[in-house]
Amino acid sequence: MSAVGYPFSAIVGLADLRLALLLNAVSPAIGGVLVRGEKGTAKSTMVRALAALLPEVDVVAGCRFACDPAQPDPACPDGPHEASAPYETRRARLVELPVGATEDRLVGSLDLERALTEGVKAYEPGLLAAAHRGVLYVDEVNLLHDHLVDLLLDAAAMGICHVEREGVSVRHAARFLLVGTMNPEEGELRPQLLDRFGLTVEVRASRDPGERAEVVRRRLAYEADPAGFAARWREADEELARRIADARALLPRVELPDTELERIARVCAAFEVDGLRADLVTARAAIALAAWHGRDRVTADDVRQAALLALPHRRRRNPFDAPGLDPETLDEALGEPDPDPEPPAGGPGGQDGDRAEGSADHSADHSAEQGADHGAEQGAAPPPGPGAAEQAPVKPGEPFRARLLSVPGVGSGRAGRRSRAETSYGRTVRARRPVQPVTRLHLTGTLRAAAPHQVARGRAPGGGLVLRREDLREAVREGREGNLVLFVVDASGSMGARQRMRAVKGAVLSLLLDAYQRRDKVGLVTFRGSGAEIVLQPTSSVDVAAARLETLPTGGRTPLAAGLLTAHKVLYHEHLRDPRRRPLLVVVTDGRATHGPDPVGEARRAARLLAARRVAGVVVDCETGPVRLGLAQRLAADLGALALRLDELAADALAGLVRGIKDPRDSRRAA
């Protein structure tokens, strides 16, 4: 579709996306655009439309790296190019990087067999070379392997792609407009990678029926007559392309006054962004904005608009923080007065009233917690059924740094940071015969395989080593993989003491944060009342799991067997979808089983069913009080799993002092 033929009002944030893309077209040094939004919001349509508006480029004829004939790359693998080399003019390319791409497909690969046996440095360019002086589009960038995203962003920042293979080095220019799209529901990017994108935009579909109908109307018109639709908007598209070219020409002459530069620094400091990349990106975006509007001097309005595009994604401190900027803080940092000051403290609804109300709530909660703890520790059975005994959701305790829980053995799943696995990167552990063309040569293994045959092959004294294809050995590398971490959380009445449930939720939240950092998939199963529920199907979106955990209600009996059987079903279906991703089962319970004709026997049979599948597991024992029944340890034995107390989940030496983990009455009894 046309870049201007799309009804922008139908997608909230689409006008900002259009502006962000245009600013990067004017100044690629900004660092690209990350587009966050739900599926079906025209993200891909906008990117493809932009590529058609970029000015045409002159390239050296026959150069696979799109060298500029006016300034050819002196290190071009196809060079050196003479000043009088013929050239051709073509459109800027739009190169798409698929989610399943390999490192060799991204940066290119060397033919190691020819390099060793023929002495020829044969290099096949990758997608970064194809995108030089064009657009590199990465759909679902949050699903790419982390090491690929690192390579991609390093090339985008430096404008150079380096390829190193067993002592053979190739370097070529790689300057492109980087655009990544993602659906936050499928998982977040790490904060370090978020920071490498220059600008970010949030988009979502409008809920207005008239605007949605207009989108459908224009899409149907495009499908019925693509050429006619394009002709209808051709003049507007050409005008947009002219504005991009004019802004590019004006860009070197735009002045950034010291007052506006100080304003940019003040805004970045006010939002406590890490490092100085935010300041640089905001300054470059403000300069590009001035050029886009035909001005040769940056204004305060340019700084404000640039900050709204450059800073929201740099505010995230962990995966549970929502990106965004506080308008009041932005106005204050920009030096603008607050149009709606807060009412003075002490009045109706003021600070004093809130404090009094909060104090009353705290007293009521404290009394309720004491009663709930007392009932739970005395073993009083809650009323049957989830509805009768349901309690209000308890907020999680403060998260802490969790200890590493891993799956034993060596896997071969997707790259991550949890369990040992054979990966495409990491430390080399051994050599083996290749099963496909060699890309990771094990040099020592190759020499060792060839050495016994040198006399038979007629090697002359002092001559070079005689190698054959069958001598080649590839390196087996060991790194870390991401796992499927399935949480099975007991939400029954025996877990319902507010202080204990707060500690349990805080512990699970800590494990979720750990799963995010280790690039795992997570799922959440809870059981209470008369059955179990899959609260969250396995996903890479850890923040969604955290949100479901926070609103988790408690109460009712303890159908432990139902929780374990539901976990078995989830793991079975996930194995069919992704057999290489190994699971880690985390059961959070006090071990009591109180629902069913034979609750304990059913729970033990369900546990042994999981053990028969050799599912690696951890049982987190939530039992507190002076008298402990040891039911969670017995469950761990049936599962063949590791048993840990809540206070053993923290990674540091002060694990037992994690807030809320121990029963507060224990210290009083000890005293």
Side-chain angles (χ1 to χ4, degrees), residues 131-479:
H132 180 46
R133 305 176 69 198
V135 179
L136 182 61
Y137 173 48
V138 188
D139 195 13
E140 306 295 352
V141 64
N142 52 323
L143 301 183
L144 272 181
H145 288 287
D146 281 352
H147 73 286
L148 290 183
V149 180
D150 286 329
L151 289 171
L152 175 66
L153 295 178
D154 283 342
M158 297 186 298
I160 298 172
C161 174
H162 289 280
V163 184
E164 303 287 343
R165 289 290 188 276
E166 303 296 341
V168 183
S169 177
V170 173
R171 168 198 172 280
H172 65 82
R175 292 183 294 275
F176 46 82
L177 195 166
L178 175 63
V179 183
T181 62
M182 59 175 284
N183 183 350
E185 293 180 357
E186 296 174 344
E188 287 284 357
L189 279 172
R190 290 186 286 126
Q192 299 94 321
L193 300 180
L194 278 173
D195 184 58
R196 300 293 291 275
F197 280 93
L199 310 180
T200 186
V201 179
E202 292 268 357
V203 295
R204 57 182 175 83
S206 170
R207 300 299 184 255
D208 181 81
E211 294 175 345
R212 296 171 73 96
E214 183 62 23
V215 174
V216 176
R217 188 177 297 114
R218 294 197 188 182
R219 180 66 193 186
L220 293 176
Y222 170 77
E223 292 174 354
D225 184 11
F229 188 91
R232 176 183 173 188
W233 298 98
R234 181 172 293 115
E235 185 175 345
D237 282 345
E238 291 174 351
E239 174 59 27
L240 202 58
R242 281 194 295 271
R243 284 193 65 184
I244 293 174
D246 293 344
R248 280 188 173 184
L250 177 60
L251 187 69
R253 303 195 301 274
V254 175
E255 178 187 357
L256 177 62
D258 286 343
T259 55
E260 302 308 325
L261 180 57
E262 292 172 1
R263 194 190 304 270
I264 290 171
R266 193 163 60 245
V267 168
C268 294
F271 284 102
E272 299 180 352
V273 295
D274 296 331
L276 294 174
R277 184 175 285 116
D279 306 63
L280 288 169
V281 170
T282 306
R284 290 166 179 161
I287 293 171
L289 267 166
W292 174 250
H293 292 297
R295 290 184 271 101
D296 60 2
R297 187 180 180 87
V298 173
T299 65
D301 287 340
D302 296 328
V303 172
R304 179 186 179 87
Q305 199 162 14
L308 289 171
L309 294 173
L311 299 184
H313 60 303
R314 294 183 167 89
R315 291 280 298 143
R316 290 177 67 94
R317 290 293 184 267
N318 64 61
F320 312 133
D321 291 338
L325 296 181
D326 178 22
E328 294 182 1
T329 305
L330 180 59
D331 291 339
E332 183 178 348
L334 288 167
E336 300 177 10
D338 185 357
D340 187 17
E342 291 290 331
Q351 185 176 358
D352 295 341
D354 288 343
R355 185 182 296 114
E357 182 180 354
S359 178
D361 286 347
H362 176 74
S363 299
D365 281 351
H366 182 68
S367 300
E369 287 173 19
Q370 283 187 331
D373 275 340
H374 180 73
E377 298 306 330
Q378 296 299 323
E390 182 171 318
Q391 303 171 11
V394 179
K395 286 190 173 296
E398 290 296 323
F400 51 85
R401 187 168 65 90
R403 64 185 290 177
L404 172 60
L405 304 175
S406 60
V407 180
V410 180
S412 58
R414 288 176 61 96
R417 297 185 174 187
R418 184 172 297 279
S419 305
R420 294 172 56 201
E422 289 186 6
T423 59
S424 59
Y425 62 97
R427 65 187 184 92
T428 300
V429 293
R430 68 178 190 276
R432 67 182 175 195
R433 290 182 179 273
V435 294
Q436 56 187 358
V438 179
T439 57
R440 301 187 303 272
L441 182 74
H442 194 288
L443 186 58
T444 305
T446 299
L447 296 177
R448 194 173 290 160
H453 308 290
Q454 295 306 297
V455 175
R457 292 174 184 174
R459 177 190 176 191
L465 191 70
V466 181
L467 287 174
R468 293 183 180 173
R469 184 182 300 273
E470 59 267 23
D471 300 328
L472 297 178
R473 297 293 183 269
E474 67 176 354
V476 178
R477 296 177 180 172
E478 186 176 292

Side-chain angles (χ1 to χ4, degrees), residues 14-24 289 292 305 309:
L14 200 59
D16 289 338
L17 171 57
R18 177 177 181 266
L19 178 61
L21 291 172
L22 290 172
L23 292 181
N24 273 272
L289 267 166
W292 174 250
Q305 199 162 14
L309 294 173

Side-chain angles (χ1 to χ4, degrees), residues 308-633:
L308 289 171
L309 294 173
L311 299 184
H313 60 303
R314 294 183 167 89
R315 291 280 298 143
R316 290 177 67 94
R317 290 293 184 267
N318 64 61
F320 312 133
D321 291 338
L325 296 181
D326 178 22
E328 294 182 1
T329 305
L330 180 59
D331 291 339
E332 183 178 348
L334 288 167
E336 300 177 10
D338 185 357
D340 187 17
E342 291 290 331
Q351 185 176 358
D352 295 341
D354 288 343
R355 185 182 296 114
E357 182 180 354
S359 178
D361 286 347
H362 176 74
S363 299
D365 281 351
H366 182 68
S367 300
E369 287 173 19
Q370 283 187 331
D373 275 340
H374 180 73
E377 298 306 330
Q378 296 299 323
E390 182 171 318
Q391 303 171 11
V394 179
K395 286 190 173 296
E398 290 296 323
F400 51 85
R401 187 168 65 90
R403 64 185 290 177
L404 172 60
L405 304 175
S406 60
V407 180
V410 180
S412 58
R414 288 176 61 96
R417 297 185 174 187
R418 184 172 297 279
S419 305
R420 294 172 56 201
E422 289 186 6
T423 59
S424 59
Y425 62 97
R427 65 187 184 92
T428 300
V429 293
R430 68 178 190 276
R432 67 182 175 195
R433 290 182 179 273
V435 294
Q436 56 187 358
V438 179
T439 57
R440 301 187 303 272
L441 182 74
H442 194 288
L443 186 58
T444 305
T446 299
L447 296 177
R448 194 173 290 160
H453 308 290
Q454 295 306 297
V455 175
R457 292 174 184 174
R459 177 190 176 191
L465 191 70
V466 181
L467 287 174
R468 293 183 180 173
R469 184 182 300 273
E470 59 267 23
D471 300 328
L472 297 178
R473 297 293 183 269
E474 67 176 354
V476 178
R477 296 177 180 172
E478 186 176 292
R480 295 279 174 173
E481 67 178 359
N483 298 114
L484 165 61
V485 183
L486 181 62
F487 294 93
V488 182
V489 180
D490 185 347
S492 63
S494 65
M495 300 283 292
R498 292 181 65 86
Q499 183 71 7
R500 193 187 326 160
M501 199 61 200
R502 183 174 183 272
V504 168
K505 286 190 174 183
V508 177
L509 189 68
S510 303
L511 293 172
L512 283 171
L513 181 59
D514 182 67
Y516 165 80
Q517 293 169 341
R518 300 188 187 281
R519 314 308 291 165
D520 297 315
K521 289 182 71 174
V522 297
L524 180 59
V525 173
T526 64
F527 56 95
R528 54 183 288 271
S530 59
E533 177 186 4
I534 304 174
V535 176
L536 183 69
Q537 291 284 358
T539 176
S540 297
S541 185
V542 178
D543 51 344
V544 175
R548 302 282 174 86
L549 175 71
E550 186 168 350
T551 58
L552 179 68
T554 60
R557 293 190 178 274
T558 311
L560 179 56
L564 297 177
L565 290 174
T566 302
H568 181 274
K569 180 174 68 174
V570 171
L571 294 177
Y572 173 75
H573 289 300
E574 280 301 306
H575 178 73
L576 295 178
R577 291 192 186 98
D578 189 358
R580 294 175 59 193
R581 187 182 288 271
R582 298 187 295 163
L584 175 64
L585 182 67
V586 180
V587 183
V588 185
T589 181
D590 57 10
R592 290 180 173 89
T594 61
H595 177 76
D598 180 17
V600 176
E602 291 174 0
R604 299 194 72 178
R605 286 190 289 272
R608 289 166 184 163
L609 182 63
L610 282 164
R613 291 185 58 86
R614 299 184 180 276
V615 176
V618 177
V619 176
V620 181
D621 184 2
C622 303
E623 191 174 27
T624 58
V627 179
R628 299 174 185 265
L629 302 178
L631 299 176
Q633 282 83 359

